[in-house]
Amino acid sequence: MTEPAASEGDVVTEPAAAASTGLSRVGPRKPTAWSDGARDRWRAVSSRLRGGDLGLLPVLAGLVVIWVVMQILNPIFLSSANLTNLALESVPVGIIALGVVCVLLVGQIDLSVGSVSGLSAAVLAVLFVDRGLPSWLAVAAALALAGLIGWFYAQVHNRIGVPSFVITLGGLLGFLGVQLWILGPKGSINLPFDSGLVTFAQLQFLPPWLAYTLVVAGAAVLYATGAARAGERRRAGLAAASRGLLVGRSLTLLAGLGAAVWYLNRDRGVGWMCVFFLALVLALHYVLSRTSFGKSMYAVGGNMEAARRAGVNVKAVVTTAFVLCTTLACVGGVLSASRLAAANQSSGGGDVNLNAIAAAVIGGTSLFGGRGTAFAALLGVLVIQSISSGLTLLNLDSAYRFMVTGGVLLLAVSLDAVARRSRVSHGRA
């Protein structure tokens, strides 16, 4: 006797459905490690790229292209000696660019970072050399002055409503005049070559064993923080990176940094000033990605009114961003003067403003606010300095450097605008 066929409205149980198709299943299908880990990760990355979230991919690709082209034109470019110089020369402007990232994230701009860095160098030189104060006290005074400048910018913007573009443009001109006034008629003050500042910026390098130890420690910390975050996401029922992916990422970092340290050690090695810069980058990265204040910065830059309605103290966030920017500009100016062993009328002038702002934007920080990372300053200044170093080795006039840098900056802003349009169309803005 045959059973009646199920009607359209009847519910067919899973065993019956399996029997009707001639298939059977003992239990639920277990997902493979590939589907749980790498495949899901790849789908997420592909979705972000299609949605216009390019991240650091464009600047990494651009840096590779620049290095390949410069090495073809001049084989000295990728020598260990030139890369050591390139790394040291990148630090002062890179630290200033790190501060520019902070103000860009909250949707503001600071056009006076060059003047603030030059003023800080002048204050340091006058207090340290002419007034005979200890170097640490002179540096502290310069940092306090720079922080006060950033606070002043924020108060004018928050209380009066003057656009930051206008405020900092006035600061660019005004603090340049203060710098010239402080230096006086002689216009230049030399720092003692045996001082700790000059030694730190020019002569101090990590011993090889310590450099490799820091590389191993960095890879271990990357794995530990990734595993901790993955555990938190799994406990919350969210997708998380697999252990294999975390191990592979850490081993890649270990191999890459280890090779870089080995290559730089063929010359003078890794400078302590470079380690200091990397420490600042990692510290800011932690603040932006792991703290409520960092999330508030992204919220203010993404939509200031929405952030205000969500309970974010917008004025305090903007004030902190400006103070961080001018303080980091001071640090960059002090290190620049220490590397040159002098502070003069041209300190912080020339193309310092251009390079610092361009480095932040080329590194992937959006001019529209709300997007960017601390690593933007690191990668952006490497692009800027690579162009400068390569064209210098080719004995080309500085006019070409300005033109090439301007073209790269325009390309970066265009990519940002296109990516932002794509994010809007995909509902990710």
Side-chain angles (χ1 to χ4, degrees), residues 231-240:
E232 292 176 357
R233 292 181 64 86
R234 289 192 186 95
R235 287 190 293 272
L238 302 174

Side-chain angles (χ1 to χ4, degrees), residues 115-128 133-150 175 182 197 323 325-335 337:
S115 296
V116 173
S117 69
L119 174 61
S120 301
V123 170
L124 165 71
V126 170
L127 295 180
F128 179 39
L133 294 180
S135 59
W136 66 268
L137 188 56
V139 172
L143 288 172
L145 176 61
L148 183 62
I149 291 172
F175 292 123
I182 289 178
L197 290 172
V323 171
C325 181
T326 52
T327 301
L328 289 171
C330 170
V331 175
V334 168
L335 291 180

Side-chain angles (χ1 to χ4, degrees), residues 84 88 199-208 267-272:
T84 301
L88 291 174
T199 303
F200 175 77
Q202 294 185 2
L203 303 176
Q204 290 187 354
F205 294 85
L206 275 71
D267 187 61
R268 287 164 291 169
V270 180
W272 273 107

Side-chain angles (χ1 to χ4, degrees), residues 139-166:
V139 172
L143 288 172
L145 176 61
L148 183 62
I149 291 172
W151 178 85
F152 172 75
Y153 286 164
Q155 298 313 302
V156 175
H157 174 75
N158 291 333
R159 297 179 182 276
I160 304 178
V162 181
S164 58
F165 180 92
V166 177

Side-chain angles (χ1 to χ4, degrees), residues 70 73-77 82 386-404:
M70 293 301 181
L73 296 177
N74 192 324
I76 301 177
F77 179 77
N82 187 62
S386 296
I387 295 172
S388 176
S389 176
L391 295 181
T392 300
L393 290 176
L394 295 175
N395 293 322
L396 293 178
D397 189 79
S398 59
Y400 294 98
R401 177 167 58 87
F402 284 112
M403 288 187 287
V404 173

